[in-house]
Amino acid sequence: MKESQTRLIILGAGKPFSGEQHSVLRGTTGRRRVLDWVLHSMRAVEPDVHFVGGYQLDEIAERYPELHYSVNPHWQSTGAAASLLEAPLNDRVVHYVSYSDVLFRDSAVQSLSSSEADIAVLVDSNWRHRFEGRSEEDLQRCEKVNVHGGRITRLGRDILPELADAEFVGLVRLQPKVAGFLAGQSDFPEAIRKGSLTQLLELLRVRGFSVAAVDVAGGWAELNEPNDLSRFILGTKAQTLHRLQGVVTRSRIEDQVSFTVAEWQDLDTEVLARIGARLSETEKLVVRSSALSEDGFGVSNAGAYTSVLNVSRQSEGELRAAIEKVIASYPDGHPDNQVLVQPMLEQVIASGVAFTKTLSSGAPYYVVNYDDTTNSTESITSGASRDHKTLFVHRDAPEKLVRVPENLAGLMPALREVEDLLDFDSLDMEFAITEGGLIHILQVRPIAVQHELTQSDAAESLLTNAVDRFRQWQAPAPFVVGKRAYFGVMPDWNPAEIIGTRPGRLASSLYRYLIMDDVWAAQRAEYGYRDVRPQPLLRMFAGHPYVDIRASFNSFIPQSLDDGLAGRLVDFYMEWLRRHPHLHDKVEFDVVPTCYALDFERWRERLIHEGGFNADEADRLGVGLKTITACAIARTDADLQVIDRFEERLACFRNTDASSLDDALSLLEECRRYGTLAFAHLARSAFVAITLLRSAVEKGVLSQGAMDAFLNSIRTVSHRFTDDAAKVARQELSMAAFTQQYGHLRPGTYDITSPCYGDNPEHFLVPVIERSASELHADSGSHIALDAWENERQTFAQAVSDAGLPGDIEQLERFMRNAIEGREYAKFVFTRHLSLALNCLAGYGERHGVTREQMACISVEALSALRSGTVAVADEASWLADQATEGYEASRAAAMVELPPLLLSESDFYAFLYTDSHANFVGAGKISAECVDLQKRATDERSNLSGKIAMIPQADPGYDWLFGHGIAGLITMYGGANSHMAIRAAEFGLPAAIGVGEGKYEALARATVLELDPVNKRIEVIR
C-alpha cells in the first residue's frame, strides 16, 4: 500500500474546557460528529490520521477503530505541545496538526497547502465578533497572534486582546523539515511541554522557521456553544448541500454548480461552461434560488424565490432564461446572492418536506409532509398537491411500535443522520425519493421558528401514561360489549369540534360534567338504545380528549337486541372503522346505522355479505331501529316543552352573584339536569331528520334541490338572530335588548377565556346589525326555492310510510322542522346558563386575584371539592393559584404531545399518518376568495371579513357572528356532516367545507386565495 504524502495529527488528549464528555464523543445518538467534519475537510490531501489521546481514550478508540493512536501519558499535567511531541513525526511527509474540537472548511486546507512557508497557521481576523456576546474572559483565554505582511510575528495566549491581530484557529501545516526538527528534539523545556501549541510554534518561529498566516475571517467553529456545529455547516442552500454532500451515507445529494449573481453578471460564459462540464451526464436541470436571505436561523423565506424545473442542459437560451428568472426573483439585488444548478431528478415516487420538530410547538416529532401521487419534486412546497399526506413519528418511539409507509422506509435513517452530523434537532429538509427507495436531500435549513416550549420529562410521562391507559381500557365495562376499544376525536359527541384537541382543564371537565359522563348515556337509554351507564364517553390521553368508540357504538344498539348479537354488531362496526379509518368523522352515516331510513337495505346487505350476519339478525336490527325512529318522530314536541320550562327557570338566577362559586356550580347543575339532556334528545332527533332526508335523496325519492329548499326554509336561532339585528337597524328593537338576548353566545362555548358577544358587541353584534338590512336579511329567493320541496313532499311522505314509519306529511314536516330548529334552540338556551356560570367563575377568580386564563386551568371537580369542603384550604387565593399553575404546566406538557384523530393500537401513540381528510361539503356555489385563518388573528383584527373565506378550527355554533360579517365561504378543521355549522351553512346557502382535517387545514391556512367548490368537493389553492 502506497504511503501517504500527508499526515494529520489530531490533538485530543486533554479534558474538554466545559463538561465531562470528550468533544469527539459529544452527543447522545452514538454517531460521529466533529471528526467526521475534520476528516471531510481534509479529504483533498488524503492524509494518514493519527490521534494523540489521553482523556477517555479507550472510548474514542472504540468509536474510531480505523484511526492510528498515540498516547500522551502526562495529559493531565501537560498541554497540546507535549501531545504533538508524542506523535509520530518525521521529515518525509507534510504534517497537518489540528485540535480535536475545531471545525474548518476544505477551502482553508487548500489555502494552507498552497503556502510556501515552513509553518502555515490558520488564523481568524474576525475573532472579536465571531459569535455574539463573546466574553472578555474568553478573549483573554484564547490563543492569539500578531500578523504583519502575511507573516506571523508573535503567537501565544499572553498577547493582550487589544494588541492581537487575529485568533489562532487550531490548524497548522508543517513542512517535512519542521516535523523532522521536532522529532529530533528531546530537550524541550518543561514550560514548553506544559504549554499550548502556539507556545511551541512561537519557539519554532524564534528558532528561524518562517511562519505564515492564512486568514479564514470567521469561517470556522470551536465547540463552545450548543449550536456551534450547526451554525458552521448551515449556510446558503448551495453551501449547505455542498458541505453535506461528501458526508451523508443514508441519502444522496446531487452534484451542483453554484455561483453568485456577480459572477453571472461578469462571467456568464464561464459559468455556463462550468455547468456543461460538471453536469454533462444529465439532460434536464433544475435552477434553484440560493439567496443570502433564505434558509437562515432567524428567517427562512421558504418559497419566496423562484426555482425553474426541467431546463434543457443543451439549450443555452433556455438555461440563460432560467438563471435570469431566478435572479430576477431576488428583491435586494445583492451581488453575493447565489444560484444553484443541479440535475433534475427522474422517476420520483415521492417528495416532500420533513421537519425534525413540530412547527407549532417544537414537540419532538419528525413531521413529514409528502406527496406520492405525482412525480413532481415540488408538489408539496408549491402547494399544488391535491392528495398530500403528513406522517408524524415521535423521535424517541420504541422501534417495534413505529410503522412507516413502505415507500418512506429509508427516510427516517436519512433524517437522523443529517441531525447527527449537524448536532442539531430543529431542521427543515426538502427531499425526494426515486425508484428503488433512494433518498435525495434537496435542501437543509434550520427551522426559523423560535419555540417557547422545550421537551420535558412531564411530556414523556404523559405519553407513557396515555399508552398505559389505552392498554387498561381495552377491558370492557359491565354493560359494554365488544372485544376491543378504539378512541377518536370526531365520532359521536366529537370533542375536537366542541372543545378542541388540547382543551384546558376547565373546558374538558365542563364538557364531561354537562354531557360526557352521564347525560349522553341517559339520553340514549331514554331514546330506546342500549343502556351503557355508568360508562363515561370521554377519555383523556395526554391532555387530549377522545371518545370511547366502543362505548359509543354500544349505545347505538337497540335495547331490544340481546348481548350476543349486540357484541357481534359492535365488533363488526369496530372492524369496519379500522379498515376505513377515513370515516372517523362520518361514523353515523357510513359505519353504524343509528336509525331507520329509506336506505336501510344498504346496511342490511353489508351486514349479511361483509359481516357474516344472517337475514334474521339483520332484520331484528332493522326492527329495533325502526322502533327508535318512530319514537323520535313522536317525542320531539315533548322535548321542546322541556327546553321551554328550562328557559323559564333561568329567572330564578336573575340575581345571581357574578362572583359566587356557589352560584356558578348551581347554574351548572341546573344546566346538566334540565338543559343538556333535552338538548341531547333534540340533537338525536335532528340527526334522524337529516338522515331521513339524505336517504330520500340517495334513493331518488327527493331531489337534492328539494332537500336544500326544505333546509333553507328552516328558521333557527341564527335566522332569528339576523331578523332581530334588522329590527335594531330599523330601531324596532333596542341595542340593550338585542345584547341581552344574544350576548351570552361565545366562539368557545366551554372556554372561559373566550369573550362572549356581550363583552365585545362592537365586534360580534354591530357588524350583523349593519349588514342585516341588506343582503343578509333578503330572503325573497327562499319562497321560490321552496317550490321544489312542495312539489316532492308527498312523494317523500309516501316513501317513509312504505318503509313502515309514520307517513303523515304534516307530522313528518313538523318533526323535522322542530327537531332541526329545536336542536339549535336548545343549544342556545342551555349555553345561556353555561355562559353565566363561566362569568361567575371568572368573577370568583378575579375576586381572589386569579385571571380567566388561570381559571381555565382549574377543573370543575377541583372547584366542587373546594365548595363541598372536601379539600382543606387555609387560603383560597393561594390554593387557586397553585391549582392554576398545576393545570398550566399540564397544558404545556400536552402541547408537546401529538396524537392522531384515531387511536387503534399502541403504535398510534408514536407514529401516525394524516391523509387528506374527506371534508363534508355544503352549498352549491363555487367561489374564489381570500382566506383568513381566525386562529392567527386577534379578536380586534377580525373586522374585515366581508367577501372572504373564513377558516376556524372548530364547527362550534359560537362562531355564528361570522355570518354577520358577510363571509363568502367557511372552512373548519373539525366538524361532521351533521355538525352545527354544517346545518347553519346550509341554511344560509353558504359554500362550506366542514371538517377538512388537521393536515389539510394547515396546508390551506398557508394560502392567501382559495377556490371552494362544494359541488365537486374540491378546495384549490389559487395563491
Side-chain angles (χ1 to χ4, degrees):
M1 184 175 183
K2 183 181 177 180
E3 183 179 3
S4 174
Q5 298 302 303
T6 307
R7 177 168 294 167
L8 171 63
I9 308 295
I10 299 174
L11 307 179
K15 191 175 179 180
F17 178 72
S18 61
E20 295 298 320
Q21 191 173 42
H22 201 290
S23 60
V24 300
L25 299 175
R26 200 181 76 184
T28 59
T29 61
R31 289 201 49 83
R32 294 178 287 187
R33 288 204 173 82
V34 180
L35 285 191
D36 276 337
W37 291 107
V38 170
L39 299 176
H40 180 63
S41 299
M42 297 292 300
R43 68 192 186 282
V45 297
E46 300 180 344
D48 285 334
V49 183
H50 291 256
F51 189 97
V52 182
Y55 180 70
Q56 296 183 347
L57 182 59
D58 290 343
E59 296 175 53
I60 297 170
E62 182 180 355
R63 185 74 57 83
Y64 299 96
E66 70 278 14
L67 302 185
H68 304 289
Y69 288 93
S70 300
V71 179
N72 176 358
H74 306 294
W75 62 268
Q76 291 177 306
S77 59
T78 59
S83 291
L84 177 57
L85 296 175
E86 294 290 345
L89 304 170
N90 62 60
D91 61 0
R92 297 188 303 275
V93 298
V94 172
H95 291 67
Y96 288 83
V97 181
S98 173
Y99 288 155
S100 63
D101 61 349
V102 296
L103 296 164
F104 42 83
R105 309 204 190 285
D106 51 4
S107 58
V109 177
Q110 293 170 11
S111 297
L112 283 177
S113 66
S114 63
S115 174
E116 296 181 357
D118 298 332
I119 303 170
V121 178
L122 202 63
V123 303
D124 176 18
S125 60
N126 193 39
W127 65 295
R128 289 184 175 87
H129 310 291
R130 182 166 62 86
F131 58 87
E132 186 177 352
R134 189 166 192 180
S135 67
E136 184 62 32
E137 178 186 1
D138 195 43
L139 293 174
Q140 294 282 354
R141 182 185 65 83
C142 71
E143 298 176 79
K144 298 172 282 292
V145 299
N146 293 134
V147 182
H148 180 71
R151 294 285 176 173
I152 292 181
T153 59
R154 189 181 173 196
L155 304 94
R157 282 199 175 97
D158 58 340
I159 301 176
L160 296 176
E162 59 269 22
L163 300 178
D165 298 308
E167 179 179 359
F168 172 54
V169 167
L171 179 65
V172 181
R173 179 177 182 267
L174 305 177
Q175 293 286 11
K177 66 176 183 178
V178 180
F181 172 78
L182 291 173
Q185 300 296 315
S186 60
D187 59 346
F188 280 107
E190 188 66 19
I192 292 295
R193 288 185 173 274
K194 290 185 176 181
S196 65
L197 182 58
T198 50
Q199 288 177 282
L200 179 60
L201 295 176
E202 174 66 6
L203 176 62
L204 293 173
R205 185 190 69 79
V206 172
R207 293 286 183 95
F209 291 104
S210 61
V211 185
V214 174
D215 190 4
V216 292
W220 70 291
E222 182 179 15
L223 298 186
N224 290 331
E225 301 297 323
N227 292 342
D228 278 347
L229 178 57
S230 58
R231 290 182 180 273
F232 174 72
I233 302 302
L234 297 173
T236 65
K237 187 181 302 177
Q239 289 169 343
T240 300
L241 292 177
H242 171 72
R243 293 163 188 168
L244 286 169
Q245 185 181 24
V247 183
V248 294
T249 61
R250 302 297 183 90
S251 60
R252 175 181 172 85
I253 295 175
E254 299 300 318
D255 290 340
Q256 65 163 274
V257 174
S258 61
F259 47 90
T260 65
V261 172
E263 286 179 288
W264 173 253
Q265 292 171 343
D266 296 338
L267 303 166
D268 56 341
T269 303
E270 292 184 17
V271 168
L272 291 173
R274 283 168 50 200
I275 294 172
R278 176 73 170 166
L279 307 177
S280 59
E281 296 183 3
T282 184
E283 291 299 318
K284 292 292 185 179
L285 304 173
V286 56
V287 182
R288 307 174 67 195
S289 65
S290 182
L292 299 175
S293 57
E294 62 180 332
D295 300 348
F297 279 82
V299 61
S300 71
N301 275 324
Y305 308 127
T306 298
S307 292
V308 184
L309 282 64
N310 289 308
V311 179
S312 173
R313 178 183 59 81
Q314 296 181 345
S315 173
E316 180 178 319
E318 188 177 339
L319 182 53
R320 279 183 176 274
I323 293 171
E324 292 289 353
K325 186 175 182 179
V326 171
I327 292 174
S329 70
Y330 299 151
D332 57 8
H334 199 293
D336 291 336
N337 282 331
Q338 298 171 334
V339 177
L340 169 65
V341 182
Q342 291 181 294
M344 184 71 194
L345 294 179
E346 298 179 350
Q347 298 179 323
V348 174
I349 62 172
S351 66
V353 176
F355 301 100
T356 60
K357 284 183 177 179
T358 63
L359 282 179
S360 58
S361 63
Y365 291 81
Y366 296 101
V367 183
V368 184
N369 191 212
Y370 71 100
D371 177 7
D372 57 4
T373 62
T374 70
N375 60 2
S376 170
T377 59
E378 61 168 15
S379 60
I380 292 296
T381 56
S382 67
S385 172
R386 295 186 182 183
D387 190 24
H388 72 272
K389 304 174 180 68
T390 304
L391 173 69
F392 283 75
V393 178
H394 194 282
R395 66 168 51 255
D396 298 324
E399 187 173 346
K400 65 179 181 179
L401 294 180
V402 175
R403 297 174 185 171
V404 174
E406 186 176 350
N407 56 353
L408 300 185
L411 184 59
M412 290 301 121
L415 297 179
R416 290 183 188 275
E417 180 184 49
V418 175
E419 277 188 300
D420 293 341
L421 289 170
L422 295 174
D423 194 15
F424 194 59
D425 64 356
S426 189
L427 295 171
D428 168 358
M429 288 182 259
E430 187 180 338
F431 69 91
I433 305 174
T434 53
E435 289 188 2
L438 182 59
I439 310 295
H440 300 260
I441 300 297
L442 306 180
Q443 162 255 304
V444 178
R445 63 184 170 212
I447 293 176
V449 179
Q450 300 300 311
H451 296 114
E452 176 192 355
L453 301 177
T454 57
Q455 189 172 357
S456 66
D457 293 339
E460 293 303 306
S461 178
L462 271 182
L463 191 56
T464 301
N465 290 340
V467 176
D468 290 341
R469 281 171 169 246
F470 178 86
R471 193 180 300 120
Q472 293 166 9
W473 286 334
Q474 293 304 307
F479 303 104
V480 174
V481 294
K483 296 176 182 177
R484 61 182 63 86
Y486 299 151
F487 303 87
V489 300
M490 285 300 296
D492 211 344
W493 282 91
N494 36 23
E497 177 187 341
I498 304 302
I499 57 176
T501 56
R502 293 185 183 90
R505 284 186 171 179
L506 180 60
S508 60
S509 64
L510 281 172
Y511 198 42
R512 289 197 308 270
Y513 177 76
L514 293 178
I515 294 173
M516 305 293 271
D517 279 348
D518 178 73
V519 167
W520 77 282
Q523 183 276 319
R524 301 279 161 82
E526 292 179 12
Y527 212 74
Y529 295 110
R530 183 181 179 88
D531 190 347
V532 299
R533 289 174 290 185
Q535 180 76 4
L537 187 61
L538 191 70
R539 300 292 198 179
M540 299 296 292
F541 292 100
H544 298 60
Y546 280 82
V547 161
D548 183 334
I549 299 174
R550 178 173 57 184
S552 169
F553 287 1
N554 266 263
S555 76
F556 285 131
I557 302 292
Q559 62 186 9
S560 58
L561 301 187
D562 59 78
D563 284 355
L565 179 55
R568 289 174 55 215
L569 284 169
V570 168
D571 286 338
F572 175 67
Y573 299 152
M574 299 286 278
E575 176 61 17
W576 192 268
L577 178 61
R578 189 193 66 79
R579 287 161 49 192
H580 306 89
H582 63 281
L583 299 177
H584 72 103
D585 61 343
K586 305 174 182 66
V587 294
E588 295 183 57
F589 292 111
D590 295 309
V591 179
V592 182
T594 61
C595 64
Y596 194 90
L598 304 185
D599 62 346
F600 181 76
E601 186 61 26
R602 73 181 176 100
W603 296 106
R604 187 177 186 276
E605 291 294 315
R606 181 188 292 181
L607 289 168
I608 293 173
H609 296 296
E610 301 280 352
F613 295 87
N614 60 45
D616 177 67
E617 290 169 330
D619 290 340
R620 285 164 57 196
L621 173 63
V623 170
L625 292 176
K626 190 177 296 184
T627 300
I628 289 171
T629 303
C631 290
I633 295 173
R635 68 166 296 142
T636 301
D637 290 344
D639 291 327
L640 281 171
Q641 291 173 10
V642 173
I643 292 296
D644 289 337
R645 290 195 298 272
F646 172 58
E647 187 172 28
E648 292 171 1
R649 289 174 63 90
L650 184 63
C652 297
F653 293 91
R654 291 299 182 194
N655 297 320
T656 290
D657 183 351
S659 62
S660 166
L661 178 60
D662 279 343
D663 284 346
L665 296 178
S666 296
L667 278 163
L668 292 175
E669 173 60 23
E670 173 84 1
C671 186
R672 185 176 69 90
R673 183 176 299 178
Y674 300 105
T676 54
L677 180 59
F679 163 68
H681 278 304
L682 288 164
R684 179 54 32 197
S685 294
F687 177 83
V688 172
I690 294 293
T691 302
L692 282 172
L693 288 168
R694 286 174 56 133
S695 69
V697 173
E698 188 69 26
K699 299 297 290 184
V701 174
L702 278 180
S703 66
Q704 184 67 48
M707 175 178 167
D708 292 342
F710 176 76
L711 291 177
N712 286 336
S713 73
I714 287 175
R715 288 295 176 263
T716 64
V717 170
S718 297
H719 283 88
R720 291 202 296 274
F721 180 42
T722 54
D723 289 344
D724 285 347
K727 291 180 182 178
V728 177
R730 296 193 300 267
Q731 297 185 344
E732 297 172 5
L733 183 69
S734 70
M735 183 65 185
F738 184 60
T739 302
Q740 182 179 1
Q741 179 69 5
Y742 300 100
H744 69 280
L745 297 173
R746 62 181 77 225
T749 302
Y750 294 82
D751 183 3
I752 194 172
T753 67
S754 179
C756 62
Y757 289 14
D759 291 336
N760 192 353
E762 289 296 321
H763 173 67
F764 292 114
L765 299 178
V766 171
V768 187
I769 296 169
E770 292 175 346
R771 296 184 59 86
S772 60
S774 55
E775 68 267 30
L776 282 181
H777 189 54
D779 60 357
S780 58
S782 63
H783 300 296
I784 299 173
L786 195 58
D787 292 344
W789 168 254
E790 295 291 346
N791 293 336
E792 300 178 30
R793 63 199 288 264
Q794 288 295 345
T795 304
F796 170 67
Q798 185 61 51
V800 171
S801 178
D802 292 344
L805 295 170
D808 178 76
I809 187 57
E810 300 299 333
Q811 181 187 16
L812 268 177
E813 189 169 324
R814 185 175 68 254
F815 156 68
M816 294 189 298
R817 191 177 301 280
N818 285 348
I820 297 172
E821 292 180 356
R823 178 182 73 164
E824 307 310 314
Y825 171 62
K827 174 92 175 191
F828 179 79
V829 172
F830 95 72
T831 55
R832 192 187 301 278
H833 283 70
L834 174 55
S835 187
L836 184 55
L838 289 174
N839 287 342
C840 286
L841 290 176
Y844 168 73
E846 183 178 358
R847 184 155 55 89
H848 290 85
V850 177
T851 66
R852 283 178 178 262
E853 287 71 20
Q854 289 176 296
M855 290 297 295
C857 299
I858 306 174
S859 70
V860 169
E861 291 88 350
L863 294 171
S864 296
L866 176 65
R867 178 201 192 191
S868 66
T870 305
V871 293
V873 175
D875 181 0
E876 284 190 42
S878 298
W879 183 85
L880 288 170
D882 290 343
Q883 289 288 311
T885 299
E886 181 183 321
Y888 174 70
E889 292 302 326
S891 69
R892 286 172 62 89
M896 298 298 285
V897 176
E898 296 286 341
L899 293 176
L902 276 178
L903 294 171
L904 305 179
S905 68
E906 291 182 28
S907 64
D908 291 328
F909 287 87
Y910 295 103
F912 52 90
L913 185 68
Y914 281 126
T915 58
D916 254 359
S917 181
H918 296 269
N920 303 284
F921 286 92
V922 177
K926 180 170 68 175
I927 59 165
S928 179
E930 182 181 344
C931 61
V932 179
D933 182 6
L934 297 187
Q935 286 191 116
K936 299 176 181 177
R937 288 202 177 189
T939 300
D940 56 358
E941 297 175 341
R942 299 177 176 181
S943 55
N944 185 24
L945 298 178
S946 178
K948 298 177 182 177
I949 298 173
M951 299 182 65
I952 58 177
Q954 297 144 239
D956 192 300
Y959 282 98
D960 267 3
W961 59 272
L962 283 171
F963 297 110
H965 282 254
I967 59 174
L970 177 67
I971 295 174
T972 76
M973 183 187 300
Y974 297 110
N978 197 38
S979 68
H980 302 280
M981 294 304 264
I983 298 299
R984 295 185 184 192
E987 294 168 21
F988 282 98
L990 185 75
I994 307 299
V996 298
E998 189 167 339
K1000 184 71 171 179
Y1001 185 94
E1002 290 182 0
L1004 296 175
R1006 292 194 289 268
T1008 54
V1009 177
L1010 296 174
E1011 183 176 87
L1012 176 57
D1013 183 2
V1015 173
N1016 294 305
K1017 301 184 183 303
R1018 185 178 60 86
I1019 309 173
E1020 187 82 17
V1021 175
I1022 304 300
R1023 187 169 67 249

